[in-house]
Amino acid sequence: MRALVLRSPLAGWSTPLEEVPDPVFAGRMLGDGVAIDPLGSTLYAPCEGEVVLLPETRHAITLRTAQGLEVLLHLGVDTVGLGGEGFEALVSLGQRVGTGDALIRFDLDLLARRARSVLTPVLVVGGGGTLTRRVQSCAVTVGEVLLEWAPRSAAADGPSGRAAAGEAHRRTVRVALEHGIHARPAARLAAAIAGFRAEVSLHAAGRQANARSAVALMTLGVRSGGQVEIRAAGPDAAVAIEAIEAVLSAAEPATASSVSSAAPTPAPALPPRVQPESVGSGAVLRGVVASRGFAVGRAAVLRVREVALREAGAGTDHETRELDRAQALVRAALEQARSGAAGPAAEVIEAHLGLLADPHLQVQALDWIARGKSAGYAWRAAIRASVEALCALDDPRMAERADDLIDLERQVLVALGGEQAPPVSALPSGAILIAQQLLPSQLVSLDAERLAGICLAAGGATSHVSILAAAAGIPALVALGPTVVEIAEDTTLILDAEAGELLIDPDERRVEAARARMSRNAQRRARERQAAQRECRTADGTRIDVLANLGSLADAEAAMRNGAEGCGLLRTEFLFLERRQAPSEAEQHDEYQRIARALAGKPLTIRTLDIGGDKPIDYLPLPEEENPALGLRGVRTSLWREDLLDEQLRAVLTVQPTGQCRILLPMITDVAELRTVRAHIIEASRRVGRTAPIELGVMIETPASALIADVLAREADFFSIGTNDLTQYTLAMDRGHPQLAARLDALHPAVLSLIARTAEAAHRHGRGVAVCGGLASDPVAAPILIGLGVHELSCAPAAIPSVKALIGELTLEQCKRWAREALEQESAEAVRALSAAPAGKTGEPASAGARAPSLGEI
Ligand code: PEP
Ligand code: MG
């Protein structure tokens, strides 16, 4: 087959296809090429050929060349909707045209006003070859060379050294992602190559997926440790492969929700149990705890019928237009909801927006439409095929993502004007919602005030609906099995989402006991909320500061509502994640300033960038490391990239009012690191014209720093103990290791003795000592930490009211006794057992209600 040269059919600006605001073109689903932002109003033939497609609407034209290739010219985006208005065909179907012949005259002003975009894709469709030259990101005139195409063999041999541009590249990699290619990494993979021109696909176990489609990538079903082959062809194929490999071989960064206090870690799945056949009086169903809590209420059964739709289409153009319209409506609604959402709700919306734009779903839907089906039928068929593929993977995480797809299906079908599902918002007060499945959009449309609990036949603890329920504080059980939906409307239920049980129509005595428990819980929460805004002191008046760990402005706002007395740790790395490039100095400053303002003058401890280890950043590749947890992490990375450190310091030093912020350094192991950063601070202060000093603290999160705490305390202004890393490095157990998770307990006496040593050194030198690791939010640990000499706890925002309430019931003397006893124990379990011991038995706090409440009670 001969090569083909395409000449520009328009004068204008040649633009990469990715910039076309339509996933079908941007994702190269129809073919490869460029898009032109036109200046003229006549479309000319880019090559010789026969007109094989010229719709009535005259907004596009396809030529078939002598090579048998098809060249599609599409004037603007969404222009089919103009119904032919503004377009005049100058040729007719079947006509042969020569290069440079005028094809269509069009009204550019009308297009500019009425079309989604005037960008005009010029595409080579099919043919099995590849583009070997592409003139883009520059002005073009009619008739100048725009694209060169060559059949695959010719491209591989390549005239004039251009072959490499179209060469196919392959690389096999092992997937290091902790949970394989599930929803988030799939979205990150698609994003990683968004700016590339190469065609990239992933292949595994005989299946293949377009790397630009998160849905297709998920359906590959690749798990951690599995192998995939990356194939890429196109000018930047080699770099595209690198980008994909970087995502596949990196450990997964924490998600906002995994670090957010709003979404507590779901309880582990309960062992399967044979469910009773009936749901009669006194029956108990067991499920998986998705959101902890306890409730008594009446069953409100949600039965959702499928949205009815017609199968036959009313013409390809009409149905394509309809689907576009419905998707645009859903997109607009989601975007509007996103602007007012935060935390998990915002994440769900983001996920839905991503799925709505997924090229795989679009192609499949358009394919059904081309086969004569209606838009609704096509959309449902595309979604259901992906749902089926995800469910067939036998991976609960993937099956949970199927809920998001079904949700999106329903939203688009409703927008198409199909029959509306029964309303789900009319709930009686105190309702326990029973459903086969609940979709995120349904949950957010419910009146949370009336919802006492949720019980689902299906679902998983990490599904989006579970995360939303946990964030809203609604107790929820999932995976209760199909019998749950047989419960009669209005039946009395006791939902124990601590023990994972649903009691159906219990006797009066149990209802009474449950109501008493609820009222105790409510009273306790009310007390805690009241206490939360007060200054925190022990029962005998010792001041303990309870601050919050933050990752964002939304966290800061939540923390303030929960009574935070400032921020003890701002994990600034979360500003750097999920982006293509580092935030600028100005962006950083603005974000820190917003957080400072949200804290209303209370202290803001800004930790310098702590990346590396389990928090990699794609656009900041670190040198290849055998063991990243022991490599360039925390302050080491900052001293390796001093440019980033200096920018960050300047951004912090300019936050107003001067004196609200202090700086905290992660992963310190010797005093020289502290001195070097102090020198940078002095220089940065000079640059921004700041004369006031700023407090500089170090994190004690390596055994080395705890052991030299005396030396560090001479020069550091304060200490903050990072028990997460201190435990990992003391016990030599990876903090992300699933098999070791149960043993990775910061109450291990070895860790406690390093904390004790740190606190003693801090006191000797008159320095403050805080704990900002996860241990600070653990009610069992709080009294022990206080007893060891810690005077500041920086907790997850949601834990603040209960931690403050607990501290208010303790005396310092009790805490000290408790701490002494903890240091003498032989294991973390033994330390934990102290808190469960009845008062007096261990000589432990008697007046404080005897013991620290267990997590379940708090
Ligand atoms: C810690 O290690 O305890 C800590 C607070 O830092 P991070 O969890 O962000 O590593
Ligand atoms: Mg740490």
Side-chain angles (χ1 to χ4, degrees), residues 264-298:
T265 315
L270 295 167
R273 237 224 217 162
V274 180
Q275 298 287 19
E277 302 265 295
S278 92
V279 288
S281 295
V284 178
L285 292 181
R286 293 205 56 145
V288 173
V289 177
S291 168
R292 299 181 78 87
F294 186 83
V296 184
R298 293 190 170 271

Side-chain angles (χ1 to χ4, degrees), residues 549 569 571 573-574 607 610 614-615 633 666 699-701 720-727 729 735 771-775:
N549 290 349
L569 168 65
R571 289 181 161 106
E573 53 278 8
F574 291 120
R607 181 171 72 179
D610 183 20
D614 63 334
K615 290 176 257 184
R633 266 208 64 181
M699 286 199 71
I700 302 292
E701 52 181 350
S720 186
I721 304 175
T723 49
N724 306 336
D725 277 315
L726 187 59
T727 309
Y729 294 120
R735 62 193 266 187
V771 169
C772 64
L775 201 62

